[in-house]
Amino acid sequence: MSLTASEHPVSSSHPALPDHASPSSTGLANDASQHPGEPKKGGSWLRVLILILLVGGAIGFVVYRIVTNKPKETAGPGGRRGGGAGQIVPVAFDVATLKTMPISLQALGTVTAYNTVTLRSRVDGQITRVNFTEGQRVKQGQLLIEIDPRPYAAALEQAKGNLTRDQANAAYAQAQAQRYSQLYAAGVVSKESTQTQESTAGQAVGTLAADRAAIDAAQVNLNYTRITSPINGVVGLRQVDVGNIVSAAATTGLVVITQVQPIAVIFTLPEDQIPQVFSHMRGGQKLVAEAWDRSNSQKLATGSLLTVDNQIDTTTGTAKLKAVFQNESNELYPNQFVNIHLILENRPNSLVIPAAAIQTGNGGTFVYAIDRTKGQANPVAGGGAAGGGRGGRNGGGNANGGGANAPAGGANTAAGPGSADANAAGGSGGRAGGQAGAGGARPSNQNFPVQVVQVVVDSTQGTNVILRSGLKPGDQVVTDGQEKLQPGSRVIPRPSDDMQAARKAAQNPDAQKVNPNPGAGDFSNGRDSDVSPAMAGRRGQGQGAAGTDSSGLGSSHTPNQNREGANGQMSNGANGSGRRRPQQ
């Protein structure tokens, strides 16, 4: 029996198909797709809850990590932020000293020659000889250049000949005048004739004087053909050579001579500082002037103030001053740029610290002072307490005791393989890796707390500061690394570069020996250690007689002590290489 289309329900999505034959239908009476309006029960709210818990846990974990990893910093003096109180900071320090400190004014100056001479020719002629080399030191009166003297020698001889001729004429004129005087007395000649002869005799005498002057002029021109140095000094680059024709009217000089011993320095000071200079110059007191190099780090020469200019430059508000230096060692040279320290007085018993130690905050000027009375050993870094060095190559007892008691820099390592003193019983010929003992290796440096000390600055002199109050002689102040400090921070101090330079300068230079192979220790057999520089800082050190220096290397070893245990435990947990250096 067949059904008509009207007897079958039609699917809304597929009008041509019955409802039970639609693609979304499974053909089952209780299919969920046939009841789209019925809500799903179970599962939905549970998934939402799990998602909320996961998101909340992730957010909480992130917040926890941010809070726990945030640096523990507190504001230091003046609002500056430093490291935490438990942090150990390496710093450089210097010592407050009580000494006589020069009070000086500093200015920029230019070295000028005490005298400068440009030689020029006084006569015309050809140069026949140059009697100097460029840059030569010459003395006053020394012959430098010679011009052809023959024309001027001939002129001199001509002048002398004219004198001889005129002397004869003058003698004849005087005799004639004498005869006419006698004839006039006898009434033979007239008075007019007598006066004419006397006038002629007088003209002849005047001609003799002119001839003598011509001789002197010719002699001067002849002398000008020999050009000599008018001062003691140094000649510069010559402008002429042998054979050149020079003229007295030429504006170009032949050579320039500068006097450099003594030598002068011209510098300027502000007009506000001129009264201080005059007040210390009263009574004829000579002010000491020091010339320093361009970087203001090395003193070149010491001299004295000569004078102050008689007027102030209104365009700059400064006055010129001139200082004189003997310059015996030729430290100064003309047109050299120098820094002048004009010392007004020497102030005794001045408390001096480096200017780098001065810090400024809301409370004023302060320094970080190191308290040496509260030193502590640096914290342990490296091996564990029970992990002593393992036995030697052929066995041996385990070393009992602490591991490394080394600072963070690795200065001292635990007694490990190849240490100087092995107290554990070794096997057949093998030494123990070293018995660290109950306390482990002795630390070579300590850390100390710093405290903020308010200071009052009196004056600043170059890189040093004179304090009026706040410190006492011998106090140690931090000069480098202050940005990481706060009150109570603990530091590992090291001498500043200035302190080390002062110590080296005070010591014998022969005592300063440089190791050509850094990182390798010197051994008694005359050979260097085969330990690489990278391993040198990790070498184990025992508790025995061999001491440790700041680099962690032993100060002395024997040939049999230069070895590593077969499975020796290093202070940082690394295994030894198990190699043994053959004996020589």
Side-chain angles (χ1 to χ4, degrees):
M1 173 178 161
S2 62
L3 296 177
T4 63
S6 60
E7 297 177 354
H8 293 279
V10 180
S11 173
S12 60
S13 59
H14 297 276
L17 297 177
D19 185 49
H20 67 273
S22 65
S24 60
S25 175
T26 59
L28 299 179
N30 58 351
D31 189 1
S33 62
Q34 297 179 8
H35 307 280
E38 184 178 354
K40 299 179 181 180
K41 297 182 180 180
S44 298
W45 64 270
L46 184 59
R47 285 194 297 268
V48 173
L49 179 61
I50 293 175
L51 181 60
I52 293 174
L53 291 177
L54 290 176
V55 173
I59 295 174
F61 177 75
V62 171
V63 173
Y64 170 77
R65 293 301 300 267
I66 292 176
V67 172
T68 56
N69 292 337
K70 184 177 181 181
K72 297 180 179 179
E73 298 181 352
T74 57
R80 303 187 339 152
R81 301 188 66 83
Q87 181 182 1
I88 300 178
V89 182
V91 297
F93 75 93
D94 212 316
V95 180
T97 57
L98 197 65
K99 61 181 180 181
T100 300
M101 191 68 182
I103 306 301
S104 62
L105 302 177
Q106 298 189 19
L108 303 179
T110 302
V111 181
T112 59
Y114 199 74
N115 289 304
T116 302
V117 178
T118 300
L119 293 184
R120 291 185 174 90
S121 176
R122 301 290 299 273
V123 294
D124 300 341
Q126 184 180 23
I127 295 178
T128 59
R129 186 171 63 166
V130 176
N131 197 32
F132 67 90
T133 58
E134 295 167 320
Q136 177 184 349
R137 293 185 177 275
V138 296
K139 295 184 179 297
Q140 184 177 4
Q142 180 177 339
L143 178 63
L144 301 180
I145 298 175
E146 187 173 0
I147 299 173
D148 187 5
R150 292 174 296 177
Y152 301 98
L156 177 61
E157 294 300 326
Q158 184 180 2
K160 290 180 179 180
N162 293 335
L163 176 62
T164 303
R165 181 197 62 192
D166 292 339
Q167 284 176 344
N169 294 334
Y172 175 75
Q174 289 178 353
Q176 283 290 95
Q178 186 176 5
R179 283 194 296 268
Y180 269 80
S181 296
Q182 294 174 356
L183 291 175
Y184 174 73
V188 177
V189 296
S190 63
K191 183 177 181 181
E192 181 180 0
S193 299
T194 303
Q195 291 177 345
T196 301
Q197 292 299 326
E198 290 178 352
S199 174
T200 302
Q203 291 176 5
V205 173
T207 303
L208 293 180
D211 290 341
R212 292 189 182 94
I215 291 173
D216 293 340
Q219 184 64 55
V220 169
N221 289 334
L222 182 60
N223 293 338
Y224 283 159
T225 61
R226 294 171 57 87
I227 301 176
T228 59
S229 175
I231 59 173
N232 297 331
V234 179
V235 295
L237 303 179
R238 67 185 185 186
Q239 305 298 322
V240 293
D241 297 317
V242 175
N244 292 151
I245 302 297
V246 295
S247 173
T251 58
T252 303
L254 306 179
V255 70
V256 178
I257 305 175
T258 56
Q259 183 178 358
V260 295
Q261 291 179 346
I263 202 167
V265 176
I266 304 297
F267 60 98
T268 58
L269 285 178
E271 56 183 342
D272 297 338
Q273 297 179 350
I274 299 301
Q276 302 180 41
V277 177
F278 281 126
S279 64
H280 288 86
M281 291 177 63
R282 293 172 184 170
Q285 179 183 357
K286 286 283 187 179
L287 298 184
V288 176
E290 296 178 348
W292 292 67
D293 62 357
R294 177 184 293 269
S295 61
N296 209 14
S297 60
Q298 181 180 1
K299 185 171 71 173
L300 302 177
T302 301
S304 60
L305 179 65
L306 180 63
T307 185
V308 181
D309 198 5
N310 57 1
Q311 58 184 352
I312 294 175
D313 188 352
T314 57
T315 59
T316 60
T318 60
K320 291 183 179 180
L321 294 88
K322 185 176 184 179
V324 179
F325 300 82
Q326 294 302 318
N327 200 29
E328 296 177 351
S329 301
N330 299 313
E331 303 93 349
L332 304 178
Y333 212 72
N335 294 332
Q336 180 181 357
F337 176 84
V338 294
N339 289 277
I340 294 296
H341 295 187
L342 184 61
I343 300 177
L344 302 179
E345 61 175 327
N346 290 315
R347 185 177 299 177
N349 299 325
S350 298
L351 187 60
V352 181
I353 63 172
I358 298 296
Q359 303 294 309
T360 303
N362 296 334
T365 305
F366 66 94
V367 297
Y368 286 105
I370 302 175
D371 188 358
R372 287 282 185 172
T373 62
K374 300 179 181 179
Q376 293 181 0
N378 290 326
V380 175
R390 191 75 62 86
R393 180 186 181 192
N394 293 323
N398 289 333
N400 298 322
N405 191 10
N412 294 297
T413 56
S419 62
D421 252 347
N423 297 328
S428 56
R431 289 182 180 270
Q435 183 174 353
R442 179 174 59 88
S444 62
N445 48 19
Q446 295 177 322
N447 60 79
F448 305 90
V450 295
Q451 55 184 348
V452 173
V453 178
Q454 301 292 332
V455 295
V456 178
V457 177
D458 187 358
S459 64
T460 301
Q461 300 295 324
T463 59
N464 294 322
V465 171
I466 300 178
L467 297 182
R468 186 175 301 170
S469 62
L471 295 177
K472 60 181 183 297
D475 288 348
Q476 297 182 355
V477 293
V478 178
T479 59
D480 186 19
Q482 299 99 320
E483 67 278 0
K484 302 178 182 179
L485 299 181
Q486 63 172 339
S489 297
R490 304 197 71 87
V491 298
I492 301 177
R494 61 173 176 82
S496 64
D497 295 339
D498 292 339
M499 287 186 62
Q500 295 178 5
R503 291 176 180 176
K504 290 181 180 179
Q507 294 176 353
N508 186 358
D510 296 337
Q512 302 295 329
K513 296 182 179 179
V514 180
N515 185 5
N517 186 15
D522 295 332
F523 287 75
S524 59
N525 58 5
R527 294 188 173 225
D528 290 339
S529 167
D530 55 0
V531 179
S532 64
M535 292 292 294
R538 300 190 300 168
R539 183 187 300 192
Q541 296 296 328
Q543 193 186 4
T548 57
D549 58 14
S550 60
S551 62
L553 298 178
S555 59
S556 63
H557 298 276
T558 62
N560 290 333
Q561 293 169 350
N562 181 26
R563 64 184 66 180
E564 297 179 359
N567 292 313
Q569 192 74 15
M570 302 296 289
S571 63
N572 58 359
N575 291 328
S577 62
R579 296 190 303 274
R580 177 176 179 179
R581 188 173 185 268
Q583 300 183 15
Q584 303 295 332

